[in-house]
Amino acid sequence: MKFDAWNGFESGEWQSEINVRDFIQRNYTPYEGDSSFLCGPTPKTKKLWDEVLELYKKEKEAPGGVLDIDTKTISTVSAHDAGYIDKNLEEIVGLQTDKPLKRAIMPFGGIKIVEKHIMTAFLMFIHLMLDVLVLINY
């Protein structure tokens, strides 16, 4: 079987089976030039990046360094609806969750991170409660 879309590519196992490595090995050409063909970020990209930087600041200041955690959804590729930083500015979308910097629980490879964030949030809560008890002379 041969498709018109394959014209110009080196033949290989990738044509008869799913074999991405074979396709890349046969058709990859390293770029030896410089970066002079690149252009800078667009105004939309700059504005979007400024929004991301502001979110990072808010996250850093948030209790436990986390803005939000989805504690009800086990994260998979399709577990969350589409998420946006600023939908009107974005050309490519695809946040891991439905909101910017919302942490997902990923037990299929990230359970240690989940445990760490939960423990951090818990310890911050205990510290806050102790401060309150001291303030009310309990």
Side-chain angles (χ1 to χ4, degrees), residues 15 22 25 29 34 37 40 45 55 64 70 74 91 99 108 121 123 131 134 136:
Q15 292 174 303
D22 181 63
Q25 291 292 317
T29 304
D34 63 18
F37 70 94
T45 300
L55 284 167
D70 183 344
I74 299 297
E91 299 293 327
K99 288 173 31 182
F108 307 118
L123 291 174
D131 287 347
V134 168
I136 62 171

Side-chain angles (χ1 to χ4, degrees), residues 47-130:
K47 185 169 177 6
L48 192 62
W49 185 241
D50 287 343
E51 291 182 29
V52 170
L53 293 176
E54 191 60 36
L55 284 167
Y56 282 153
K57 283 182 197 173
K58 287 180 182 176
E59 182 178 59
K60 187 175 180 181
E61 295 165 358
V66 177
L67 278 180
D68 195 3
I69 301 174
D70 183 344
T71 60
K72 295 180 176 39
T73 309
I74 299 297
S75 186
T76 64
V77 172
S78 59
H80 296 88
D81 290 335
Y84 304 91
I85 297 162
D86 186 328
K87 192 173 182 177
N88 295 324
L89 296 175
E90 295 179 44
E91 299 293 327
I92 301 171
V93 298
L95 298 177
Q96 288 184 340
T97 59
D98 56 346
K99 288 173 31 182
L101 302 184
K102 184 177 189 178
R103 302 303 182 202
I105 294 186
M106 299 182 210
F108 307 118
I111 194 69
K112 296 284 187 206
I113 292 171
V114 171
E115 289 172 350
K116 178 183 170 195
H117 283 293
I118 290 171
M119 184 55 75
T120 300
F122 175 72
L123 291 174
M124 291 192 74
F125 173 76
I126 294 297
H127 183 71
L128 178 65
M129 288 293 96
L130 289 172

